[in-house]
């Protein structure tokens, strides 16, 4: 049995989120929350909230919260907000403000 949580349209580049996801993959939930809480990255704010949400989903499914671990976690690129930056001689450079869709899956240890 698994419990999943998803955060969509997170205003952060998937590349920045992936760095933190690699730290918590295959870790127990309590260890993962501790890692995310003490890591000085901007993505940790979203991931801590997502971890707690997935744990609450598992509790609603009557899963043992003490036996949970992060079995799957991945990030997909979301829609890109395109902005224009004025440059010299009337030119314009494009700035891509990237977004992410983060998915987290928790499973019970057997």
């Amino acid at each position: 049995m698994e419990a999943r949580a998803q955060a969509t349209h997170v205003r952060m580049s998937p590349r920045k989120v992936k760095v933190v996801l690699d730290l918590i993959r295959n870790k127990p939930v309590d260890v993962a929350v501790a890692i995310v809480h003490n890591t000085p990255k901007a993505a940790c704010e979203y991931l801590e909230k997502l971890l707690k949400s997935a744990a609450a989903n598992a509790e609603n499914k009557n899963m043992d919260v003490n036996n949970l671990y992060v079995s799957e976690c991945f990030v997909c690129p979301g829609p890109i907000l395109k902005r224009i930056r004025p440059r010299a001689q009337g030119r314009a450079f494009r700035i891509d403000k990237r977004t992410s869709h983060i998915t987290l899956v928790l499973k019970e240890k057997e």
Side-chain angles (χ1 to χ4, degrees):
M1 207 155 153
E2 67 180 31
R4 65 174 49 226
Q6 202 168 25
T8 58
H9 304 288
V10 174
R11 264 293 292 122
M12 184 170 294
S13 166
R15 187 175 177 179
K16 294 177 183 176
V17 177
K18 189 178 183 307
V19 172
V20 184
L21 285 180
D22 290 339
L23 294 174
I24 64 170
R25 191 172 286 117
N26 296 322
K27 299 271 194 309
V29 171
D30 52 345
V31 174
V33 169
I35 289 171
V36 167
H37 187 73
N38 293 307
T39 304
K41 294 277 186 189
C44 291
E45 182 182 334
Y46 299 107
L47 289 177
E48 186 172 5
K49 193 172 179 181
L50 197 62
L51 269 167
K52 290 178 180 176
S53 174
N57 292 344
E59 195 172 344
N60 280 345
K61 288 185 171 186
N62 295 322
M63 296 168 68
D64 184 16
V65 182
N66 298 323
N67 269 346
L68 293 176
Y69 73 101
V70 181
S71 68
E72 248 183 286
C73 55
F74 55 91
V75 60
C76 300
I80 298 171
L81 305 173
K82 296 170 179 92
R83 300 294 180 258
I84 300 294
R85 176 105 178 138
R87 302 302 289 184
Q89 298 178 357
R91 293 184 180 91
F93 286 0
R94 197 168 85 186
I95 294 179
D96 291 339
K97 296 187 177 279
R98 299 181 183 278
T99 60
S100 303
H101 298 324
I102 310 167
T103 305
L104 204 70
V105 180
L106 304 180
K107 285 187 180 173
E108 279 185 304
K109 286 183 187 168
E110 297 174 9

